[in-house]
């Protein structure tokens, strides 16, 4: 024994997790709806009869979103009973697979959830496979393994004691036609003889050719096959602990006080409830229901080590008091830390729920030497599980349900992820440590994870100042992308319609939005008892009905996020959660998220977490701002605006929009005073609230300066990498990045709005603190400029359109049949403008030189920066706004472009693009007005070259059209004339021909255009005048038109 090794030192006697946890991670939930339309393939696996004949199989592609009559039906059919994520051994796409058990465990669903792929990998693994089995799959009866190439093996134990071996090629997830053949070619069935004597309890896979099954009598069964076998035959080997009782129980049914009933089976107390194969696959480590750890030698076919999980010597009659739940499995993990301690081959981490829950670390030097080759690390340290609610008054009971350990070379830079649950609630904890310093790290290094924040937004309510109706506000909120899956909304609508009869029928061919509005409006009208409708009463009834419908949606949506398992990707270094209706990669929190979600005092006590910020002022000097001071400012401003009444919130939001997008004509101090007056802050906000704000800032910051606000704005900025990653986002990865961007956009927008309100208050009602270095005007304008950016990004993240490359054709094939009628229109993939205009072309950051948890967060921040030009500081917000508008016009998204007009600047280029939109909408009068308004500046020489217009306009302008810019008014008017001619508007074509002729009266081209346009509007006098001004040769060419 090495007494000098810190692992063997005395250490603290008790290591409970600390009472205060820093939030350093963030989950990004993604629901399991189809990645693209027509991508869910259902395959019915044929049942094999006792005579060896198989029933026919059937495959089909789902082309419609399923809907259910009530929540129970949705939970039973759509949500998972068991789910996890398997990470392949290669780095090629597809590699990460989310599997789920559906429909009372009779359906195995598998889909790829890779975030990125190499740029040379052209195919996306977009298809989801649903394999329907003849009998239900056992609890913990699913295991996966891969052969290091492109074959994924799924092993399933059913209630019929059958072992299914399903070989899924990578191409199965990329091409639907690959599944047109007979499923029996890749799905094989074997019925182990051992199962006729003992009931299988748990299954693990060491490789595609090696399986281990724990049996109800305490024995283990190893199943092996050669690489040439397809799964129809396996070699069976059973292992016992060498005791006569276990051998006897293998032959006869054994029941008594030493047995447990679980999932319809009788389990012996020595049944292995958790298992893992050692790195060499020569031993199996198991945790048994009787609270013992066992090591099995597969070559010797026996147990070589056995000990109580806590090292206690227990009498046989006491075993029943410490029995473990057979349904849990997250109590065991094998990990390696090469070089940490010389001679150790690997390590075992176990968890016991006894005594408030304790972890143990076991070092294995030679498992076959029994207790001489296996020892405790840190025998004097009680490593207790973290308590999410350490308050003694809390009545919640939290249980550790799963944990995962990140390995580290030499035992350095390791991590422990722990999933704690209390009924439907859960919390994720993380401990970073070096193996030799684990007891000390256990006291101080625990951190936790911030959960979903999109569902924490304020529910919509309309005010008299808003142009939108109640229904429009609620529709925008409920249909916000990634907020609620469509299957939830369809089911909620069915439940809502069934709760009360209004006499209104439902048009199933109408869109979901139309059906929702019709249902809610019908219920609101049904409540009106008077023949004469009162606007105020109807407004209140609509608000009430939408609130009821939203509550129905939320109730149905909650079961989607019942957490089922925790997984860890050692290759990419990222933890994942699997839920009943989705999954969530856990990414690193951004610096801003750390400032928002942590107590400033905790940040002050953790100076190593965030470095201080240096802010350069106009004189070139640099002031240092401490992170906890930024947190004080951000959180104080947030609490201040949260104290607003609902009417005041609505009014301030409307006033903000006016302030941002109307051309200012007043000085900054007058604008701040106007903001204060329009919101009526003086009367709407109590003195106590303002005093609290002032005292919080005085106590937490001391001196209020411009540099403090500028430091916060610097935190919102982000520099993109200069080198390409060589990766492309998968469609699942795009959804994850855009979902994270939505959350960051909302968070940053709230921070900026909070700070703007505080600046306005400090301008009108100054705080009793030092503000000598506080330039309110500069801070106010900086906040306004940033708020413009984020309001534009909010619009991009909330509005959807059809993808330009959306696939609407169903895959060809014989046996693959559609689940929808042939007359039904095929669905088209839609995504947010943020995704298909910006995110789709952005390379994600690589996880090769950083963890994928960090890479995902940086990729999200890259997207926010990319929207407004990336690292190119020469690109202005006005240019970005017009670029988006041009792209909407190019893709014929005219309704979206009309809505996006609210963000357009007053530049000449933006005015011209407005004219193009009005022209496409056939509002020729408005188009002519905007074209005329932009004429002078666009016709003159500017810094923008005419050759740049096709690119800046997203190719709305061709190079030939762009040549008319910066080349004088006649050339510009000729271009506008051509636009009106193409739009079949001869009246306005004639007007612009006259304008051009005022400057070039001898232009034969303009005279010819005026002649033709005048003829079309029967203005014969103008036509004759234009004709007589033309040369004789030109007149003869135009006479046929006359």
């Amino acid at each position: 024994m090495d007494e000098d090794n810190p692992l063997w030192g005395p250490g603290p006697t008790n290591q409970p997790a600390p009472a205060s946890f820093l939030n350093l991670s963030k989950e990004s939930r993604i629901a399991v709806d189809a990645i693209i339309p027509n991508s869910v393939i259902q395959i019915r696996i044929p049942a094999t009869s006792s005579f060896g004949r198989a029933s026919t199989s059937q495959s089909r592609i789902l082309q419609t979103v399923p809907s259910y009559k009530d929540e129970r039906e949705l939970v039973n059919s759509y949500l998972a009973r068991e789910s996890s994520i398997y990470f392949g051994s290669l780095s090629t796409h597809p590699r990460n697979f989310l599997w789920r058990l559906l429909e009372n465990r009779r359906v195995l669903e598998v889909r790829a959830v890779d975030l990125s792929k190499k740029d040379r990998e052209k195919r996306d693994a977009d298809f989801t496979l649903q394999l329907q089995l003849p009998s239900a799959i056992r609890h913990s009866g699913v295991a996966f393994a891969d052969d290091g190439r492109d074959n994924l093996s799924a092993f399933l134990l059913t209630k019929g004691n059958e072992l299914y071996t399903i070989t899924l090629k990578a191409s199965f997830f990329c091409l639907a036609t690959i599944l047109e053949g007979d499923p029996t070619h890749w799905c094989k069935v074997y019925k182990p003889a051992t199962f006729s004597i003992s009931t299988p309890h748990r299954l693990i896979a060491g490789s595609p050719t090696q399986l281990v099954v724990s049996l109800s009598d305490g024995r283990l069964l190893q199943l092996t096959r050669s690489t040439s076998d397809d799964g129809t035959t396996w070699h069976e080997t059973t292992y016992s602990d060498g005791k006569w009782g276990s051998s006897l129980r293998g032959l006869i049914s054994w029941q008594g006080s030493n047995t447990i009933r679980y999932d319809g089976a009788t389990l012996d107390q020595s049944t292995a409830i958790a298992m893992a194969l050692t790195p060499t696959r020569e031993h199996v480590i198991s945790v048994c229901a009787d609270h013992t750890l066992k090591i099995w030698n597969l070559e010797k076919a026996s147990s070589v080590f056995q000990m109580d999980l806590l090292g206690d010597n227990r009498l046989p009659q006491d075993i029943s008091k410490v029995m473990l739940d057979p349904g849990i499995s997250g109590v065991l993990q094998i990990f390696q830390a090469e070089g940490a301690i010389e001679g150790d081959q690997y390590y075992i981490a176990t968890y016991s729920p006894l005594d408030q829950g304790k972890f143990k670390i076991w070092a294995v030097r030679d498992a076959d030497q029994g207790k001489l080759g296996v020892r405790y690390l840190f025998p004097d340290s009680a490593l207790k599980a973290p308590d999410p609610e350490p308050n003694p008054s809390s009545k919640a009971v939290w249980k550790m349900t799963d944990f995962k350990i990140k390995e580290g070379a030499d035992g350095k830079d390791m991590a422990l992820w722990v999933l704690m649950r209390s009924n439907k609630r859960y919390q994720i904890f993380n401990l970073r440590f070096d193996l030799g310093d684990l007891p000390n790290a256990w006291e101080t290094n625990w951190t936790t994870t911030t959960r979903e924040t999109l569902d924490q937004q304020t529910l919509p309510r309309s005010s008299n100042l808003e142009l939108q109706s109640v229904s429009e506000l609620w529709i925008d909120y409920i249909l916000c992308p990634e907020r609620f899956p469509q299957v939830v909304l369809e089911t909620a609508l069915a439940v809502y319609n069934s709760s009360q009869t209004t006499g209104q029928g439902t048009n199933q061919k109408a869109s979901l939005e139309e059906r929702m509005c019709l249902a809610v409006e019908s219920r609101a009208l049904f409540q009106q008892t008077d023949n004469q409708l009162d606007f105020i009463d109807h407004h209140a009834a609509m608000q009430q009905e939408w609130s009821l419908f939203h509550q129905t949606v939320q109730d149905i949506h909650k079961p989607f996020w019942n957490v089922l398992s925790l997984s860890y990707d050692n290759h990419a270094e990222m933890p994942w959660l699997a839920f009943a209706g989705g999954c969530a990669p856990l990414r690193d929190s951004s610096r801003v998220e750390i400032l928002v979600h942590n107590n400033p005092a905790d940040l002050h006590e953790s100076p190593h977490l965030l470095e201080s910020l240096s802010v350069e002022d106009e004189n070139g000097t640099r002031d240092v701002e401490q992170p906890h001071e930024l947190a004080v400012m951000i959180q104080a401003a947030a609490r201040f605006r949260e104290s607003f009444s609902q009417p005041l919130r609505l009014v301030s939001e409307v006033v903000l929009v006016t302030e941002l997008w109307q051309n200012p004509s007043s000085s900054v101090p007058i604008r701040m005073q106007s903001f204060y007056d329009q919101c009526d802050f003086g009367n709407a906000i109590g003195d106590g609230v303002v005093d609290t704000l002032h005292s919080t800032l005085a106590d937490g910051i001391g001196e209020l300066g411009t540099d403090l606000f500028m430091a916060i704005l610097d935190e919102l900025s982000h520099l993109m990498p200069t080198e390409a990653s060589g990766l492309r986002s998968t469609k699942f990865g795009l959804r994850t990045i855009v979902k994270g961007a939505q959350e960051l956009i909302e968070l940053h927008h709230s921070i900026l709005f909070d700070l703007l309100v505080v600046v306005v208050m400090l301008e009108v009602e100054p705080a009793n603190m030092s503000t000598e270095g506080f330039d309110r005007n500069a801070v106010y304008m900086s906040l306004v400029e940033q708020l413009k950016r984020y309001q534009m990004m909010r619009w991009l993240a909330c509005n959807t359109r059809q993808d330009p490359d959306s696939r609407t054709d169903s895959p060809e094939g014989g046996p693959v049949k559609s689940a929808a009628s042939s007359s039904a229109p095929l669905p088209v993939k839609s995504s947010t403008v943020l995704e298909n205009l910006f995110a789709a072309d952005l390379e994600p950051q690589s996880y090769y030189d950083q963890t994928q948890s960090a890479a995902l967060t940086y990729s999200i921040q890259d997207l926010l920066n990319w929207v407004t030009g990336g690292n190119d500081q020469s690109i202005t917000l006005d240019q970005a706004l017009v670029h988006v508008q041009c792209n909407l016009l190019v893709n014929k998204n005219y309704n979206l472009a009309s809505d996006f007009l609210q963000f357009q600047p007053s530049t000449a280029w933006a005015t011209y693009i407005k004219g193009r939109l009005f022209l496409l909408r056939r509002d020729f009068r408005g188009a002519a007005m905007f074209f005329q308004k932009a004429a002078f500046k666009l016709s003159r020489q500017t810094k923008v070259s005419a050759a740049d217009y096709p690119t800046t306009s997203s190719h709305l302008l061709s190079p030939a059209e762009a040549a008319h810019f910066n080349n004088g008014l006649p050339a510009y008017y000729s271009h506008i004339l051509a636009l009106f001619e193409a739009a079949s508007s001869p009246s306005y074509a004639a007007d612009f021909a006259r304008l051009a002729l005022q400057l070039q009266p001898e232009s034969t081209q303009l005279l010819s255009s005026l002649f033709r346009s005048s003829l079309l509007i029967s203005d014969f006098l103008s036509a004759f005048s234009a004709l007589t001004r033309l040369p004789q040769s030109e007149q003869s060419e135009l006479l046929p038109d006359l």
Side-chain angles (χ1 to χ4, degrees):
M1 183 181 297
D2 186 1
E3 298 292 349
D4 295 330
N5 194 297
L7 293 175
W8 296 103
T13 58
N14 193 26
Q15 272 73 35
S20 180
F21 307 101
L22 287 171
N23 289 275
L24 301 185
S25 303
K26 178 74 177 63
E27 69 176 32
S28 296
R29 294 179 180 176
I30 302 295
V32 293
D33 43 350
I35 295 294
I36 60 175
N38 315 330
S39 63
V40 178
I41 302 175
Q42 294 182 329
I43 305 169
R44 187 174 65 189
I45 304 298
T48 302
S49 69
S50 59
F51 299 100
R53 293 190 301 269
S55 60
T56 58
S57 63
Q58 182 180 1
S59 303
R60 65 175 186 170
I61 295 179
L62 289 181
Q63 294 185 343
T64 57
V65 176
S67 64
Y68 304 94
K69 62 182 181 181
D70 54 34
E71 181 181 350
R72 175 176 294 182
E73 185 179 5
L74 180 140
V75 170
N76 291 336
S77 301
Y78 192 83
L79 299 187
R81 301 296 182 91
E82 190 175 338
S83 178
S84 187
I85 299 174
Y86 173 77
F87 306 103
S89 59
L90 293 182
S91 59
T92 56
H93 174 68
R95 178 181 168 270
N96 304 341
F97 298 92
L98 171 68
W99 63 266
R100 310 165 64 228
L101 296 185
L102 312 175
E103 298 186 13
N104 295 318
R105 312 180 72 85
R106 287 181 174 270
V107 173
L108 171 68
E109 178 186 274
V110 187
R111 67 178 67 203
V113 289
D114 296 20
L115 296 178
S116 60
K117 61 179 181 178
K118 295 182 177 65
D119 196 35
R120 64 176 182 269
E121 297 175 314
K122 301 304 180 183
R123 293 188 306 186
D124 265 352
D126 295 331
F127 286 97
T128 297
L129 308 183
Q130 291 185 350
L131 311 179
Q132 183 177 357
L133 272 67
S135 58
I137 301 171
R138 289 186 177 275
H139 179 83
S140 301
V142 179
F144 284 85
D146 66 86
D147 59 3
R149 295 189 294 274
D150 66 345
N151 291 329
L152 174 68
S153 297
F155 304 102
L156 311 175
L157 284 178
T158 69
K159 292 291 185 70
N161 288 338
E162 295 171 315
L163 172 64
Y164 281 81
T165 301
I166 301 175
T167 304
L168 303 173
K169 294 182 178 297
S171 57
F172 284 16
F173 299 92
C174 303
L175 299 172
T177 53
I178 200 70
L179 297 179
E180 293 174 0
D182 188 351
T184 58
H185 293 164
W186 44 264
C187 177
K188 304 298 181 180
V189 186
Y190 174 71
K191 198 159 188 176
T194 307
F195 292 172
S196 63
I197 302 174
S198 303
T199 304
H201 176 64
R202 191 171 298 277
L203 169 69
I204 63 170
S207 71
T209 59
Q210 181 188 23
L211 307 178
V212 179
V213 182
S214 67
L215 302 175
S216 59
D217 55 20
R219 296 182 300 160
L220 299 185
L221 168 66
Q222 180 180 218
L223 296 167
T224 57
R225 59 171 174 153
S226 66
T227 55
S228 60
D229 291 335
D230 59 5
T232 53
T233 59
W234 291 81
H235 177 68
E236 302 180 37
T237 307
T238 57
Y239 305 86
S240 66
D241 58 9
K243 299 178 181 179
W244 71 269
S246 61
S247 302
L248 182 61
R249 286 191 294 271
L251 300 175
I252 63 174
S253 177
W254 187 275
Q255 296 190 25
S257 59
N258 60 340
T259 60
I260 317 168
R261 290 292 296 176
Y262 177 76
D263 197 25
T266 301
L267 305 181
D268 186 82
Q269 64 185 17
S270 61
T271 300
I273 64 172
M275 298 182 295
L277 280 158
T278 60
T280 62
R281 299 208 295 270
E282 296 175 352
H283 296 81
V284 173
I285 314 297
S286 68
V287 169
C288 302
D290 59 1
H291 200 262
T292 59
L293 174 70
K294 289 183 181 179
I295 302 180
W296 307 74
N297 186 305
L298 297 180
E299 183 177 350
K300 296 180 179 179
S302 64
S303 170
V304 295
F305 174 83
Q306 178 174 336
M307 183 176 285
D308 182 82
L309 287 179
L310 298 179
D312 297 334
N313 295 317
R314 304 186 190 276
L315 297 174
Q317 59 268 27
D318 295 331
I319 298 297
S320 60
K321 301 176 182 178
V322 297
M323 294 282 278
L324 300 177
D325 181 1
I328 65 174
S329 60
V331 292
L332 169 69
Q333 184 180 342
I334 296 176
F335 65 93
Q336 292 182 289
E338 296 182 3
I341 304 176
E342 185 177 354
D344 288 346
Q345 297 182 5
Y346 55 88
Y347 301 89
I348 305 170
T350 60
Y351 175 79
S352 169
L354 301 183
D355 193 17
Q356 299 179 350
K358 290 182 180 180
F359 287 88
K360 285 289 184 180
I361 308 296
W362 312 69
V364 180
R365 296 196 171 186
D366 186 354
D368 293 328
Q369 294 297 317
K371 294 182 180 180
L372 296 178
V374 182
R375 70 192 188 282
Y376 275 139
L377 294 184
F378 324 114
D380 298 323
S381 301
L383 306 178
K384 290 184 176 294
D387 186 358
E389 294 179 330
N391 190 338
S393 62
S394 174
K395 297 181 180 179
V397 178
W398 289 87
K399 297 180 179 180
M400 200 291 300
T401 57
D402 209 349
F403 73 90
K404 293 292 181 287
I405 292 179
K406 170 203 165 188
E407 299 176 343
D410 299 325
K412 304 292 185 182
D413 191 27
M414 300 182 67
L416 168 65
W417 293 87
V418 177
L419 170 61
M420 304 292 296
R421 288 192 60 178
S422 176
N423 294 323
K424 300 298 183 182
R425 296 191 298 160
Y426 68 93
Q427 186 61 273
I428 301 294
F429 291 92
N430 175 232
L431 175 70
R432 299 188 182 276
F433 64 94
D434 294 337
L435 187 57
D437 192 45
L438 178 59
N440 293 324
W442 203 277
E443 285 191 84
T444 59
N445 288 11
W446 283 102
T447 62
T448 189
T449 301
T450 305
R451 297 208 297 272
E452 178 76 48
T453 56
L454 274 183
D455 56 359
Q456 299 173 7
Q457 291 180 314
T458 304
L459 296 180
R461 294 187 68 89
S462 64
S463 68
N464 294 331
L465 297 175
E466 290 181 298
L467 298 178
Q468 285 182 295
S469 67
V470 177
S471 292
E472 289 174 332
L473 288 171
W474 276 101
I475 284 293
D476 289 345
Y477 178 84
I478 292 175
L479 295 184
C480 178
E482 297 296 343
R483 175 161 281 142
F484 300 115
Q486 186 175 346
V487 65
V488 170
L489 299 178
E490 293 282 4
T491 306
L493 184 58
V495 173
Y496 180 80
N497 284 330
S498 65
S499 62
Q500 181 173 334
T501 303
T502 61
Q504 281 285 76
T506 302
N507 181 11
Q508 293 299 329
K509 294 184 179 180
S511 67
L512 175 61
E513 176 181 340
E514 292 171 337
R515 286 182 282 122
M516 288 166 53
C517 289
L518 178 62
V520 171
E521 290 171 2
S522 298
R523 286 269 292 265
L525 289 172
F526 190 74
Q527 295 180 17
Q528 300 291 130
T529 56
D530 299 333
N531 293 329
Q532 185 175 2
L533 291 178
D534 181 83
F535 173 78
I536 297 178
D537 291 343
H538 181 66
H539 184 279
M542 289 288 291
Q543 181 68 35
Q544 179 183 1
E545 287 302 322
W546 275 113
S547 298
L548 290 174
F549 178 73
H550 173 259
Q551 187 61 52
T552 303
V553 172
Q554 277 196 317
D555 292 342
I556 294 174
H557 193 224
K558 283 180 181 178
F560 270 64
W561 305 112
N562 291 338
V563 65
L564 299 180
S565 68
L566 169 68
S567 304
Y568 189 81
D569 184 355
N570 279 293
H571 173 72
E573 298 187 38
M574 171 178 277
W576 291 70
L577 290 176
F579 299 91
C583 63
L586 303 184
R587 61 175 178 84
D588 292 351
S589 296
S590 69
R591 288 177 59 94
V592 173
E593 288 172 322
I594 292 175
L595 294 175
V596 170
H597 298 305
N598 288 288
N599 190 302
D602 293 336
L603 295 177
H604 185 52
E605 295 174 0
S606 306
H608 62 283
L609 185 62
L610 295 174
E611 67 272 15
S612 301
L613 288 179
S614 297
V615 182
E616 187 171 356
D617 62 17
E618 57 186 6
N619 298 321
T621 59
R622 305 186 72 87
D623 296 316
V624 177
E625 294 300 320
Q626 299 298 327
H628 72 277
E629 294 180 343
L630 306 186
V632 169
M633 183 72 251
I634 291 173
Q635 295 180 27
R639 286 193 295 270
F640 179 67
R641 193 162 68 92
E642 286 172 0
S643 68
F644 288 5
S645 63
Q646 186 66 29
L648 180 58
R649 280 173 174 265
L650 297 173
V651 170
S652 61
E653 290 169 1
V654 174
V655 174
L656 174 66
V657 172
T658 304
E659 172 65 14
L660 294 182
W661 302 109
Q662 287 191 0
N663 292 326
S665 58
S666 305
S667 63
V668 175
I670 293 178
R671 290 168 62 182
M672 285 192 280
Q673 182 66 55
S674 175
F675 195 107
Y676 180 93
D677 294 337
Q678 290 182 72
C679 296
D680 196 19
F681 282 160
N683 296 319
I685 303 175
D687 293 339
V689 176
V690 178
D691 292 342
T692 300
L693 172 65
H694 291 171
S695 62
T696 301
L697 297 179
D699 296 340
I701 300 174
E703 182 177 353
L704 198 62
T706 303
D707 52 323
L708 178 69
F709 289 88
M710 294 306 176
I712 296 175
L713 294 181
D714 285 345
E715 290 286 8
L716 303 184
S717 62
H718 171 73
L719 287 178
M720 300 174 62
T722 56
E723 296 183 0
S725 66
L727 300 176
R728 303 297 297 177
S729 293
T730 63
K731 291 184 176 64
F732 180 85
L734 280 177
R735 283 186 62 186
T736 306
I737 290 175
V738 171
K739 176 68 175 293
Q742 288 176 314
E743 293 188 280
L744 274 191
I745 289 168
E746 291 299 328
L747 178 65
H748 291 184
H749 183 273
S750 295
I751 291 173
L752 293 167
F753 193 8
D754 297 338
L755 294 176
L756 185 79
V757 170
V758 168
V759 171
V760 169
M761 288 299 301
L762 294 176
E763 167 68 16
V764 181
E765 301 183 28
N768 187 21
M769 59 186 297
S770 176
T771 58
E772 184 177 351
F774 183 25
D775 186 346
R776 297 174 179 80
N777 295 350
V779 171
Y780 182 85
M781 290 308 301
S782 297
L783 291 172
V784 166
E785 190 66 21
Q786 287 296 322
L787 276 165
K788 285 183 178 181
R789 294 175 180 268
Y790 280 95
Q791 284 220 342
M792 181 261 286
M793 286 191 278
R794 289 177 85 189
W795 188 94
L796 296 175
C798 291
N799 286 275
T800 60
R801 65 178 181 180
Q802 179 180 337
D803 283 2
D805 59 345
S806 180
R807 179 182 57 196
T808 58
D809 57 322
S810 59
E812 299 177 358
V816 181
K817 298 180 180 179
S818 168
S821 64
S822 58
S823 61
L826 296 177
V828 176
K829 182 181 186 302
S830 297
S831 59
T832 64
V833 182
L834 180 65
E835 177 179 332
N836 60 40
L837 177 56
F838 293 102
D841 297 326
L842 182 65
E843 286 191 353
Q845 291 210 19
S846 173
Y847 61 84
Y848 298 132
D849 54 357
Q850 61 187 338
T851 68
Q852 193 163 48
S853 294
L856 177 56
T857 299
Y858 290 139
S859 297
I860 293 169
Q861 293 175 307
D862 287 346
L863 176 56
L864 301 191
N865 194 22
W866 182 246
V867 171
T868 52
N871 293 342
D872 189 351
Q873 300 297 320
S874 64
I875 298 178
T876 65
L877 175 62
D878 288 350
Q879 291 173 326
L881 291 168
V882 181
H883 173 73
V884 173
Q885 185 75 320
C886 291
N887 185 272
L888 295 174
L889 296 182
V890 168
N891 287 281
K892 301 180 181 180
N893 308 130
Y894 302 141
N895 290 334
L896 290 177
S898 299
D899 190 37
F900 198 70
L901 277 176
Q902 61 184 305
F903 305 116
Q904 291 305 294
S906 57
T907 62
W909 174 234
T911 303
Y912 167 81
I913 298 301
K914 291 178 186 177
R916 293 294 296 263
L917 170 61
F918 276 66
L919 186 67
L920 291 167
R921 289 165 43 181
R922 306 196 66 78
D923 183 349
F924 299 129
R925 181 178 181 182
M929 178 189 69
F930 286 119
F931 288 146
Q932 183 66 36
K933 188 176 180 181
F936 181 72
K937 290 187 177 180
L938 291 185
S939 64
R940 303 181 64 186
Q941 292 289 339
T942 63
K943 295 180 181 180
V944 180
S945 170
D948 295 333
Y949 280 112
T951 303
T952 57
S953 69
S954 195
H955 300 285
L956 178 67
L957 269 69
S958 67
E961 290 176 315
H964 292 82
F965 289 76
N966 303 352
N967 199 22
L969 281 172
Y972 174 81
Y973 286 143
S974 297
H975 166 61
I976 304 302
L977 160 65
L979 292 179
F980 278 113
E981 285 181 337
S984 301
S985 177
S987 174
Y988 287 96
D991 289 344
F992 279 93
R994 294 188 188 95
L995 289 173
L997 284 169
Q998 292 178 8
L999 301 171
Q1000 286 186 343
E1002 304 301 326
S1003 172
T1004 57
Q1005 182 179 0
L1006 292 174
L1007 288 170
S1008 298
S1009 296
L1010 177 60
F1011 173 78
R1012 285 191 293 267
S1013 299
S1014 299
L1015 281 183
L1016 291 173
I1017 60 176
S1018 301
D1019 185 357
F1020 301 115
L1021 183 61
S1022 296
F1024 179 77
S1025 174
L1027 183 66
T1028 57
R1029 293 164 62 184
L1030 284 168
Q1032 189 68 30
S1033 60
E1034 298 288 340
Q1035 292 180 9
S1036 60
E1037 294 181 4
L1038 294 176
L1039 287 178
D1041 293 337
L1042 180 60

